[in-house]
Each structure stands twice: as C-alpha cells, then as structure tokens.
Amino acid sequence: MKRLRQVLVSAAAVGTVLSGLAQAQAQAPAGNGLSARAQEVAKGTRPDQIAFRALYKEMVETDTSITTGSCTLLADEIEAHLREAGYGDAQITRYAVPDHPKEGGLVVVLPGSSKTLKPILLLGHLDVVVAKRSDWTRDPYTLIEEGGYFYGRGTSDMKAMDATWVDLMMRWKKAGYTPKRTVKLAMTCGEETSWAFNGANWLAQNRRDLIDAEFALNEGGGGRTDGHGHVIQQSLHVGEKFAVNFQMVATNPGGHSSIPVRDNAIYEVAEAALKIKDYEFPLMLTDTTKAYFGKLGAARSDAMGAAMRNIASAPIGSPESKAAEAVLNTDRSFHSMLRTTCVVTLVDGGHANNALPQHAGANINCRVFPGVSVESVQDKLKEIIADPKMTLTVEKLRGPVAKAPPLTPQILGPVEKQMAVYFPGVPLVPTMSTGATDGIFLEAVGIPSYGPPGGFGDPDGGGVHGLNERRSSASVYVGRDFLQDLVKDYASH
Ligand SMILES: [Zn+2]
C-alpha cells in the first residue's frame, strides 16, 4: 500500500512539472522537435563526436550475441579504453562466472567529492539479440551509415547508450572532472536472454556494495518520431510490466498416422493457442499510465488524442472508457500498455511424420501488469485453455516482480531542464514499458531505476530485436549530449 501512495504524490508532482513544460512549450517551438542547438549537435561534426563515433562503431562491430558473440570480449575493449583514460585497478572491477566465460562484464567507479551524497549508477547491457547475416540486408555486425541512419545490430538496443556512458566516464576522467556524487557504470550481459547469465541480477545479488546508488539510469526511455524525423514525444521510463513464460504440454498415446483420430496432441495445443489468441485481459491503469495518456492526449487533436484523454479520466468500465479503449487498441503499443498480455511464441510437437504425435507443447510469453500476481495469470490461462488434460507450468522466474519506482521532482526536474534545451515544445511523458529491462533486478535490492529520455526512434520500432536494426544519427548525437548533460546535473546535486 505504501508504494501506491507514493505514486499518487508523484502524479501530482508530474502535474506541476508538466505545467512548467507547457510554459517552455510557448518559448521555443522547433521545426522537427529539435531546438536550434540540438540541430547543430545532430550534425555530429565536433571532434569529440567523431571520437565518440569510433567508440560506437567498435561496440556495434563487436558481436555480443549469445550464439556467436562475447560480452567478455567487448568488456576487454572497454576496459582498455578506461585504463587509457586513467582508471586503475581500484576503480575497475571485472566479473564473470566460470560456466559463462563469454558473458562477463565490468563496473567502473569515478569517485565524487561529496562524502554525504549517494552515488548514481549508470547501467548498460552489452549483449544484443541474435542476428543472422542471411536474413539482413547489410552485415549486422558492421556499422553502416546511410541516409541519416546508423545500421547494425545493437545500434538502438542498446549500444548508443552504452557508448554514451563509456564515453562520459572516459572524458570526465581525462578532463580531471570530479563530480559531487560518485558516478558508477555497470556493463552487463544477459539482458536479452532469460536462460543465460544475467550480470545485473548477479551484481545485485552478489556485489550490492559495488553498485550501491541512490538511483540508476538505464534503457527504456526515449522519444518517438512521426516516422518522418519529427520528434513528437519524449518519455521517461518509470516501471515496467513483468515478463514471464508459461509452458503448456499435451501428451497422447499416438499411433500410426494411417489411422488418425480427432484426439491429437498437436490439435490440442493448436486449439488452446487459438483460445489464448482470442482472450483479452482486462483494461488496467497506473498513475504513470494515466499521466502518460492524459498528457499525450492533450497534445493531439485527432481521435486517438480524444481517446487518450478519455482513457485517463473516465472510470474503467464506463461507456466512455470502453469507447476510448477500442480506439487505443488499434495501436499495438498502446494496447499492451493497458493490460497484461499473453502470446504464444514457440511451438513444438510430433516425433515422426508417419506417426500420430505423442507430445506437443507451446511457450506462452506474458507481460504482467504491475501489481498483478503471476499466479493469477496462470489461473486465468488455465481457465481460458479449459482442457484438464493439458499441463501448464511456469518457468523459473527471471527475477523479482517489478515494482514501479517513485517519480519525484528530484528525478523529473533535471529531465525537464534538458527537455527545454534540446526538445522545447515536445511533450515529456512518464511511461511504463511493456518490455522488460534489467531495472527490475536493481529495484529488487532497493535501487530505483529510470529510463531517461534523450534519444528517439521511429514508430515502426527501428528493427529493434528484428531485422535491419537502425538508429538515426541525429538521435545518437543529440541523445548523447542530452544524457551527458543530464548525468552532470544529477551528479552535481
Ligand atoms: Zn535492451
């Protein structure tokens, strides 16, 4: 109950800060959502930006996927840069576990001058989702700049932010800059896979002291364009849905395929999958998502905008809320922000093409809404499947159930300041992400984790986790300056 109350307070804080933003709006609306300064930064021609581009290129071109790559190798490269910048054994900690030698990482610490202020933690996962050369238009592990975009696996998720963090730690050290607060950087592996070694969880459980901080900055936030390079919104990530997998399995006596019967393990799984396809979990809202839709809706004049405003204000279950939900459900991101979702992602079955299947199964990937228990989702799936012969089990949980971090003026104020510098007139909204980040592992040990805005992506998702991943060069350079100025602000207060 305590946590809920906190969120209510922050919603009010959001209100005051966002009205402050309204004033900023009037001041300097810009063409593509970028201020004149940001448009200059977007060119990427400054010497420090050219050096940064080389680091980004090195990181993207180091394959860190679980099948063909190595996070440990990239951590070696980063360590070399940090030592060159002046960090020594006392500030650099390497870690890996024997049975996962390629999934190691590092923590580097830049001590601050204050004896009382707690540190800030910057978090970045080095691993990327697997990419097959044969599926891509270009080589996924060569950084290619074309048409205002960087192409390559990890250009968006999340090596632009990784490079921004490493570059910041290097430049501050080289410049002899000592912030008030100690700044720590944890580079980890395993965020993209739920069955390998997760560095963020390992650090949280085994080296809590090393990463101790008042709060952490991580992926999850960022802006959205209209698909034509115009930034229409920026988001601050506060909290997330919780990812969990269930396995359903059907078994059957089988037999010779020349004498088939209707009772068939693969059909059983297929029928259950279609029931899951057709089930819609009920609409849910948090104060963060209410603020999200309320604010975004206020900035739009179309039917979607009206629906956003209504979903934020109308009581759940009312005709206005139902009508608004129907409109919002046409957008896949908004649809998944409003509820728990479950989808069948993997199937297997059968053992020979001339035999009736004796075993069939499927993986159901669910994204559980904050405050909803895993058990209640499992019970609901059983009810939907309605097949007593089908077994349904839950995988080993990836970690603790997500808790929404508090949204305070201390966090929001500096973000708003940078928004006015780089994106005047662009709405800033607190978001609850539907994906999962390693932030949950930090929150589980008492380190609130936020995804700051700064960079931005296209509405089609920019190939993240998919084919031909890309990030606009404007987003990379402006995102870097925004984030580094933001960290400087946090670290000096
Ligand atoms: Zn990621």
Side-chain angles (χ1 to χ4, degrees):
M1 192 49 70
K2 180 172 160 309
R3 180 152 297 283
L4 176 61
R5 209 184 64 68
Q6 234 171 8
V7 173
L8 287 170
V9 171
S10 22
V14 172
T16 40
V17 162
L18 293 173
S19 61
L21 186 64
Q23 278 145 31
Q25 271 173 343
Q27 268 142 23
N32 56 3
L34 272 64
S35 66
R37 170 169 166 173
Q39 296 187 48
E40 193 53 38
V41 168
K43 293 181 182 146
T45 52
R46 289 191 328 244
D48 64 294
Q49 292 179 311
I50 292 161
F52 168 77
R53 186 187 186 287
L55 174 67
Y56 180 47
K57 177 176 168 56
E58 181 187 11
M59 294 176 81
V60 169
E61 296 189 349
T62 304
D63 174 358
T64 51
S65 64
I66 189 74
T67 48
T68 53
S70 166
C71 287
T72 303
L73 176 64
L74 182 50
D76 292 345
E77 292 165 6
I78 293 169
E79 181 182 350
H81 287 300
L82 292 169
R83 287 189 181 277
E84 201 189 305
Y87 290 95
D89 292 346
Q91 289 115 28
I92 297 175
T93 303
R94 294 298 303 270
Y95 65 89
V97 291
D99 46 2
H100 292 276
K102 289 188 172 181
E103 293 146 59
L106 65 80
V107 176
V108 59
V109 177
L110 179 65
S113 58
S114 168
K115 294 286 171 279
T116 52
L117 291 172
K118 286 194 77 176
I120 295 172
L121 174 66
L122 309 177
L123 181 69
H125 68 81
L126 297 176
D127 59 316
V128 294
V129 168
V130 172
K132 276 196 231 144
R133 175 68 191 88
S134 53
D135 296 343
W136 281 52
T137 310
R138 307 166 190 80
D139 173 30
Y141 295 112
T142 300
L143 184 77
I144 293 167
E145 190 169 357
E146 222 174 84
Y149 283 88
F150 288 113
Y151 290 88
R153 176 52 94 216
T155 46
S156 258
D157 184 7
M158 63 173 283
K159 289 184 174 175
M161 190 180 249
D162 289 337
T164 295
W165 291 156
V166 172
D167 173 71
L168 175 145
M169 297 299 278
M170 287 165 58
R171 290 191 319 122
W172 284 12
K173 187 70 176 176
K174 272 188 194 156
Y177 173 70
T178 304
K180 259 200 189 149
R181 288 177 186 264
T182 292
V183 177
K184 302 177 176 182
L185 169 61
M187 306 253 78
T188 69
C189 202
E191 197 275 345
E192 301 292 7
T193 47
S194 58
W195 41 265
F197 168 72
N198 184 292
N201 194 21
W202 185 86
L203 287 169
Q205 297 304 322
N206 299 284
R207 293 302 312 271
R208 173 73 179 69
D209 60 311
L210 185 60
I211 59 166
D212 182 41
E214 180 155 339
F215 60 89
L217 299 179
N218 184 22
E219 63 173 348
R224 183 198 271 214
T225 71
D226 60 357
H228 310 291
H230 186 165
V231 178
I232 56 172
Q233 146 211 340
Q234 275 285 2
S235 68
L236 169 65
H237 174 239
V238 270
E240 55 202 76
K241 293 167 77 174
F242 177 67
V244 59
N245 289 295
F246 297 92
Q247 278 78 37
M248 62 176 171
V249 172
T251 55
N252 188 288
H256 200 285
S257 64
S258 65
I259 45 172
V261 291
R262 292 178 60 78
D263 180 24
N264 173 305
I266 291 177
Y267 294 165
E268 215 178 320
V269 166
E271 279 156 9
L274 291 177
K275 288 175 188 168
I276 292 167
K277 169 190 168 225
D278 291 336
Y279 179 75
E280 181 88 316
F281 280 85
L283 168 70
M284 297 185 75
L285 289 160
T286 68
D287 285 297
T288 297
T289 54
K290 272 186 195 155
Y292 175 90
F293 286 115
K295 181 69 204 167
L296 265 193
R300 295 175 67 141
S301 54
D302 57 0
M304 187 63 87
M308 287 172 165
R309 295 192 296 275
N310 285 343
I311 208 86
S313 56
I316 290 179
S318 67
E320 296 81 18
S321 175
K322 286 197 175 116
E325 186 193 351
V327 175
L328 286 162
N329 284 350
T330 61
D331 177 294
R332 58 193 294 183
S333 307
F334 297 153
H335 170 264
S336 68
M337 277 182 73
L338 291 169
R339 68 198 74 249
T340 292
T341 57
C342 288
V343 61
V344 175
T345 53
L346 289 171
V347 287
D348 64 81
H351 57 283
N353 56 21
N354 61 355
L356 301 176
Q358 291 161 242
H359 174 281
N363 182 76
I364 306 162
N365 179 265
C366 295
R367 306 283 169 155
V368 181
F369 202 86
V372 174
S373 73
V374 171
E375 295 69 31
S376 68
V377 175
Q378 186 164 7
D379 294 345
K380 178 53 75 177
L381 286 172
K382 276 196 183 124
E383 187 191 316
I384 297 165
I385 295 168
D387 175 354
K389 287 192 287 106
M390 182 84 78
T391 64
L392 182 74
T393 55
V394 59
E395 69 164 351
K396 185 173 139 317
L397 293 187
R398 202 176 91 106
V401 172
K403 294 191 298 249
L407 193 52
T408 62
Q410 181 218 3
I411 294 293
L412 265 165
V415 171
E416 189 215 6
K417 226 166 36 184
Q418 296 309 328
M419 283 293 296
V421 172
Y422 290 96
F423 303 103
V426 173
L428 167 71
V429 286
T431 54
M432 174 200 69
S433 74
T434 55
T437 75
D438 279 346
I440 55 166
F441 300 118
L442 301 181
E443 279 143 17
V445 293
I447 303 172
S449 172
Y450 302 91
F456 43 89
D458 295 329
D460 67 353
V464 166
H465 287 206
L467 290 183
N468 304 321
E469 184 178 344
R470 67 182 196 278
R471 195 156 185 87
S472 75
S473 52
S475 165
V476 171
Y477 294 123
V478 175
R480 170 180 174 254
D481 278 26
F482 184 109
L483 288 167
Q484 294 192 349
D485 289 353
L486 179 66
V487 174
K488 191 163 231 176
D489 192 337
Y490 281 140
S492 41
H493 292 96

